[in-house]
Amino acid sequence: MKMMEATQALGRALMLPIAVLPIAGLLLRLGQPDLLAMAPIAAAGDAIFGNLGLLFAIGVAVGLARENHGAAGLAGVVCFLVATKGAEVIIAAPPLLALAHVAAWKAKELSKLSVPIGILSGIFAGLLYNRYSDIRLPSYLSFFGGRRFVPIVAGLAGLLLAFAFGYGWPFLTRGMDVVTQGVVEAGGLGLFAYGVLNRILIVTGLHHILNNVAWFILGDFGGATGDLKRFFAGDPNAGAFMSGFFPVMMFGLPAACLAMYHTALPEKKKLAGGLLLSIGLTSFLTGVTEPIEFTFMFLAPALYVVHAVLTGAAMVTMDVLGAKLGFSFSAGLFDYILNFKLATKPWLLLPVGAAYFALYYGLFRFFIVKFNLKTPGREVDEVAIASATSSGDETDRYIAALGGAPNLTEVEACTTRLRLKVADRTQIDERVLKQLGASGVVNIGTHGVQVVIGPIADQVASEIRARLAGRGRATTGGSALPNAAELLAAIGGKGNIARIESTSGRVLVTVKDGAGVNEHSLSLLPLRGFARATAESIHLLHADPGGLERSLKSPP
């Protein structure tokens, strides 16, 4: 289960660098001669695509690090640069290649695996930050302690990657060729499997990892690797791993929303219509589908399997028809229009989409009526979204529905989900969460919970963290603030404090009477640890030293 949670964390971290792709695609496309014909704009977009490995190194490192600290991002950059430049020196060029072309050949070859190197650099940097951000060095080296130590040790990790990629390059390139050839030879079967797995893995959030392989690694076109990068580089054969999503996201799932609306109870159609119109338009315009999928994923698992199979079939259908479409974010109308002239036979989406609209509408209407599925608008006890069943604003209602502030130990978000760790899952009120607009709740591991609320997830998570921080509770992973009253009692009360000062990774507390400090009580509090330099000097180790200092100085 720990492996599942670790993979979940990686999937979430991958979304940070992926989030920059829409602006890259927009700039690259707008700058082309058939649109604005402005080379600087196109070059700006191409610069992002050309440095994806570096962006992944930064984004993954920050996403995995406790409190998402920027020092981890710096460490990711150091690890990536050391790894790529070191490997570039080690890689052996073909013996017949002219000396003047060796450097360019090495750089082009290495760019094929820049994204995997970036992801590995980010993983190393994030994990090293979590391990060493509080390290204490001897006094003569103390300047390099704490967070400053992380980029240093990340550079050493980069050396290991450099040797691994440099000396292993022949095997890596051969492996890439074998995998790519295997996928190509699998033809429709490979595309079908990818489409099905992409939808099935949504429940765990691991589809991001599968997408990264298909979109950024498979295939090669003039040094551009991956279906997405090759599409924007002008490869006429690229788009096979993106085209099939358009009929499903622009036509199929909006049709499912229409079927849910038509089968809603008469007195609840108005309420259900607002929700279904919102998530249906989100899917059609932007290609964000999870709010729709979670409305029936657990209500009718068999219907969801049919949806996954139809997604796989759409991948095959578009490929057989020779339609090659691409996107920088997802398969919605915005990307379809923006990249229309880059696509091959994009008009085929219209008849295929119409067929998928009819197919989804018919299937969903049949299943909902036949099995009396409690889709939006058909629940007997359904009440208005964000109704007055709870006091306070929406953020307070989310916190209350999640079991209250004491129940939340970690609050994160990805594109459409709150990703939480809670003390007790039984305290979560799913009914209230659905009243607030949640499409579904997924339990991961022992304490992990994901709440699907749509594209507002990151904003809601930020608001919850801000509210919890104000109450002295958990915010991001590993940064739970101890109860101020309990902490003050453990160090002998407020009257025993002579001085409080926060510094990197810790709060320095000087007490008047060292005998008043209860070390056993301190050990029970959510601190990374504590140390006593002298009887009257205590170091409280914590991810949020500033918050801990404020909590001690102004207890509730």
Side-chain angles (χ1 to χ4, degrees), residues 5 409 420-425 444-449:
E5 291 180 359
T409 61
L420 315 166
K421 284 188 179 179
V422 297
D424 183 3
R425 280 205 299 244
I444 304 293
T446 306
H447 299 286
V449 178

Side-chain angles (χ1 to χ4, degrees), residues 153 217 254 359 448:
V153 71
I217 297 177
L359 186 59

Side-chain angles (χ1 to χ4, degrees), residues 382-521:
E382 187 175 358
V383 295
I385 296 172
S387 65
T389 55
S390 302
S391 59
D393 63 13
E394 188 175 85
T395 303
D396 284 331
R397 291 199 290 272
Y398 268 112
I399 293 172
L402 293 168
N407 197 43
L408 293 167
T409 61
E410 181 175 335
V411 180
E412 298 287 356
C414 65
T415 308
T416 59
R417 313 180 194 194
L418 297 176
R419 293 177 180 248
L420 315 166
K421 284 188 179 179
V422 297
D424 183 3
R425 280 205 299 244
T426 63
Q427 300 300 312
I428 294 176
D429 192 332
E430 293 189 21
R431 178 177 173 273
V432 175
L433 286 173
K434 290 183 177 179
Q435 292 171 10
L436 287 165
S439 302
V441 178
V442 183
N443 294 328
I444 304 293
T446 306
H447 299 286
V449 178
Q450 295 182 2
V451 183
V452 183
I453 59 175
I456 62 170
D458 190 63
Q459 179 183 349
V460 172
S462 297
E463 291 171 353
I464 291 176
R465 286 196 297 265
R467 192 66 51 88
L468 295 180
R471 299 177 183 177
R473 291 301 308 171
T475 54
T476 58
S479 59
L481 290 171
N483 180 277
E486 294 176 359
L487 180 55
L488 285 171
I491 56 181
K494 191 171 184 178
N496 195 36
I497 297 176
R499 184 184 178 192
I500 301 174
E501 178 184 2
S502 63
T503 185
S504 177
R506 67 194 62 215
V507 174
L508 310 180
V509 180
T510 303
V511 297
K512 300 173 182 177
D513 180 9
V517 177
N518 188 326
E519 293 191 0
H520 175 69
S521 296

Side-chain angles (χ1 to χ4, degrees), residues 82-375:
V82 170
T84 51
K85 290 303 178 182
E88 188 175 310
V89 172
I90 297 171
I91 294 173
L96 298 180
L97 187 66
L99 184 62
H101 301 302
V102 169
W105 180 88
K106 287 185 175 184
K108 182 178 178 181
E109 285 295 296
L110 200 60
S111 68
K112 296 178 181 179
L113 286 178
S114 66
V115 170
I117 295 174
I119 292 173
L120 289 174
S121 298
I123 291 173
F124 280 139
L127 296 179
L128 289 170
Y129 177 87
N130 293 340
R131 175 67 178 84
Y132 292 112
S133 61
D134 289 325
I135 191 172
R136 297 187 67 188
L137 299 177
S139 58
Y140 56 89
L141 293 175
S142 59
F143 176 80
F144 301 103
R147 294 180 180 128
R148 296 188 185 99
F149 182 75
V150 179
I152 298 173
V153 71
L156 298 177
L159 277 178
L160 296 178
L161 283 177
F163 287 123
F165 277 87
Y167 290 113
W169 191 255
F171 307 101
L172 291 170
T173 53
R174 195 173 304 124
M176 279 184 62
D177 291 340
V178 169
V179 171
T180 301
Q181 189 65 27
V183 172
V184 171
E185 290 179 354
L189 182 61
L191 289 172
F192 178 79
Y194 168 74
V196 172
L197 288 174
N198 181 277
R199 296 296 92 185
I200 294 296
L201 289 175
I202 275 185
V203 67
T204 62
L206 301 183
H207 59 302
H208 300 309
I209 297 175
L210 179 68
N211 290 339
N212 272 264
V213 174
W215 295 347
F216 301 115
I217 297 177
L218 290 180
D220 180 12
F221 179 76
T225 58
D227 205 43
L228 189 150
K229 291 172 68 178
R230 289 188 291 114
F231 178 83
F232 283 99
D235 185 354
N237 296 315
F241 290 91
M242 297 182 283
S243 305
F245 290 122
F246 282 90
V248 175
M249 296 180 177
M250 286 182 61
F251 294 91
L253 288 173
C257 289
L258 183 62
M260 293 182 206
Y261 172 73
H262 285 163
T263 54
L265 298 176
E267 66 273 17
K268 300 190 174 168
K269 275 195 172 183
K270 183 177 180 180
L271 172 65
L275 170 65
L276 293 170
L277 178 62
S278 172
I279 61 179
L281 277 177
T282 299
S283 177
F284 177 71
L285 295 174
T286 69
V288 175
T289 62
E290 290 182 357
I292 301 176
E293 288 163 323
F294 274 84
T295 62
F296 66 93
M297 182 183 292
F298 302 107
L299 279 175
L303 185 57
Y304 191 80
V305 171
V306 172
H307 163 56
V309 171
L310 288 174
T311 303
M315 306 294 291
V316 177
T317 301
M318 296 294 278
D319 187 61
V320 169
L321 294 174
K324 304 292 186 184
L325 288 74
F327 50 74
S328 59
F329 177 66
S330 192
L333 179 65
F334 294 149
D335 269 290
Y336 177 70
I337 294 175
L338 186 63
N339 302 311
F340 189 89
K341 291 187 178 181
L342 289 178
T344 302
K345 299 182 181 179
W347 58 269
L348 282 173
L349 174 63
L350 301 180
V352 175
Y356 261 70
F357 187 93
L359 186 59
Y360 267 73
Y361 180 85
L363 281 172
F364 272 76
R365 182 152 191 162
F366 171 79
F367 271 85
I368 292 169
V369 174
K370 177 73 174 177
F371 299 102
N372 193 27
L373 299 180
K374 302 302 181 183
T375 49

